[in-house]
Amino acid sequence: MTDLLVPLLLLLGCGAVFRGVDVYGAFLRGAERGLRTLFSMAKALVPLLAILGMLLSSGFPEWLFSVLSPLCNVLGLDPAVLPVILLRPLSGSAALSAASELVKREGASALSSRIALAVLASGETTVYVTGLYLAGRRTRYAPAVLISALAGDLAAAFGAVFLILHFFQNSP
Amino acid sequence: MLSALLFSLVFLSLLSALLTGKTASLTPGLLDGAKSALELLLATGGPLVFWSGLSEVFSDAGWIGRLSRLTRPLLRFLLRPKEDCEELWSSLSENFSANLLGIGNAATPAGLRGAELLSRSGDEEGLARLTLLNACSVQLVPFTAASIAASAGDPRPFSLTPAVLGASLFSVLAAFSVFSLLSPLRKGRKSRD
């Protein structure tokens, strides 16, 4: 069913020509915006992924896994997904890097890859967003927002793990 | 803040390498990582640019506006703004709809406009809730994640969509429930200066 999602969206979009929209022009403008986004992503991703790569070959992951695997076994979670979950609220680029490394290592159909990608997509860079919206505004709700948002990220992670493990193990 | 993260990661790498004796793998790991950054961008960049283009079409066609009207009741329930002004609603709806379609660039300005209006009218709780809504990304089409999956060979990358949507909903549920529990505690206190 999800097979047709993108083609239908595309049909819908191109169909806008009948409403007088300059579809091609819009595409170009949006694509240019996307290229600029890509460029700014590159600026962040190269140093991040480089440092992450160094961390991954330093022996740290092995140690972390041995410490956390009892907990993960209890939860039914592959410890390799932990970096993505922990980094998600802190930095979208870092989480993206961690997730893509995992997917590269395990392959796209591995359970942990699917979980990592679902966590990546369903979470948000909490710290950045909260900072952005509340910057310079006096509010007594700031701690409550931060705690609630982190609770949300945690719930997203658990939700992603739960849903993929029980319903969406393979491409439906 | 990111700088602190960077320092911690580098320090941790060196420490781990010294403790596990893997110092020889540090530099190759670093260079390999740098290489894989551009490999990742090359693999996922095309779909990203494509999606940006398509979102612009939706935006030009006014469908974001359409979507906005549909989402108003939901927003009223979640955000509970004190005032009912049209300008506020249009920013809030645009923010939410753009987020749904994954157009961060359109969502953020609209969201910040809404934040400014709420702040000016002294609606602290509305502002907090708006921030919370933006901090839980609810996205209909997980393009970035799907393109990573596709670049690793997944034949049906968008099969992640239902799981992502479900997880996002858990996220909103949890975040707003926790906030509803915490906010009465805060209402009693004076505004921080």
Side-chain angles (χ1 to χ4, degrees):
Chain A
M1 204 233 93
T2 47
D3 279 349
L4 292 176
L5 177 63
V6 178
L8 282 176
L9 281 174
L10 188 55
L11 184 68
L12 196 66
C14 294
V17 70
F18 298 114
R19 300 172 111 254
V21 176
D22 176 13
V23 173
Y24 188 61
F27 247 115
L28 291 183
R29 264 179 282 121
E32 187 180 334
R33 186 169 43 86
L35 281 170
R36 267 188 247 122
T37 307
L38 205 62
F39 183 69
S40 61
M41 277 173 76
K43 295 192 296 190
L45 277 182
V46 173
L48 269 171
L49 221 41
I51 292 176
L52 198 71
M54 187 172 74
L55 182 64
L56 290 177
S57 53
S58 70
F60 176 72
E62 289 76 7
W63 172 82
L64 188 68
F65 295 171
S66 64
V67 165
L68 290 171
S69 31
L71 174 68
C72 289
N73 288 330
V74 165
L75 297 171
L77 174 67
D78 183 346
V81 182
L82 278 173
V84 183
I85 297 178
L86 295 172
L87 287 172
R88 190 65 193 92
L90 295 173
S91 160
S93 314
L96 176 66
S97 314
S100 64
E101 274 303 303
L102 176 67
V103 174
K104 206 169 82 165
R105 250 190 356 254
E106 308 280 333
S109 47
L111 203 57
S112 50
S113 296
R114 292 177 66 77
I115 293 176
L117 289 177
V119 170
L120 181 70
S122 57
E124 180 59 83
T125 314
T126 306
V127 175
Y128 166 71
V129 173
T130 309
L132 185 67
Y133 278 75
L134 298 181
R137 304 191 205 279
R138 301 187 203 144
T139 175
R140 57 211 145 121
Y141 288 111
V145 171
L146 206 53
I147 297 174
S148 312
L150 289 173
D153 282 326
L154 200 64
F158 273 113
V161 173
F162 175 73
L163 288 171
I164 299 248
L165 272 178
H166 295 277
F167 298 107
F168 300 110
Q169 282 211 21
N170 307 298
S171 317
Chain B
M1 206 248 114
L2 211 52
S3 309
L5 183 68
L6 284 180
F7 178 77
S8 322
L9 293 176
V10 176
F11 181 73
L12 207 54
S13 311
L14 278 164
L15 189 65
S16 307
L18 286 169
L19 291 175
T20 59
K22 284 178 137 197
T23 46
S25 352
L26 282 178
T27 310
L30 184 79
L31 297 176
D32 207 51
K35 188 175 89 166
S36 63
L38 288 187
E39 284 172 352
L40 172 71
L41 286 170
L42 199 64
T44 61
L48 180 80
V49 173
F50 174 77
W51 183 244
S52 300
L54 188 57
S55 328
E56 190 79 18
V57 175
F58 285 148
S59 177
D60 274 14
W63 283 326
I64 309 218
R66 251 328 151 71
L67 193 57
S68 298
R69 278 192 289 276
L70 291 172
T71 57
R72 194 174 288 204
L74 176 66
L75 286 180
R76 190 166 271 134
F77 171 66
L78 285 175
L79 299 180
R80 300 157 206 202
K82 278 196 228 146
E83 310 223 334
D84 208 6
C85 91
E86 194 52 47
E87 198 193 341
L88 176 65
W89 276 118
S90 87
S91 324
L92 295 180
S93 309
E94 195 189 321
N95 170 249
F96 185 65
S97 313
N99 269 321
L100 270 183
L101 294 176
I103 329 174
N105 311 42
T108 308
L112 290 175
R113 265 199 324 267
E116 183 59 40
L117 290 168
L118 287 167
S119 182
R120 256 191 257 148
S121 69
D123 191 352
E124 267 188 75
E125 187 170 338
L127 174 66
R129 284 171 174 272
L130 176 65
T131 308
L132 199 56
L133 189 61
N134 277 276
C136 312
S137 96
V138 184
Q139 241 182 302
L140 287 177
V141 187
F143 231 85
T144 313
S147 53
I148 298 177
S151 73
D154 190 334
R156 308 177 76 162
F158 284 96
S159 58
L160 288 168
T161 310
V164 171
L165 212 54
S168 306
L169 292 176
F170 283 177
S171 172
V172 172
L173 209 69
F176 277 86
S177 308
V178 172
F179 186 78
S180 299
L181 290 172
L182 291 178
S183 61
L185 299 173
R186 285 263 132 189
K187 260 193 213 158
R189 303 192 187 190
K190 294 200 205 121
S191 260
R192 261 207 262 136
D193 230 56

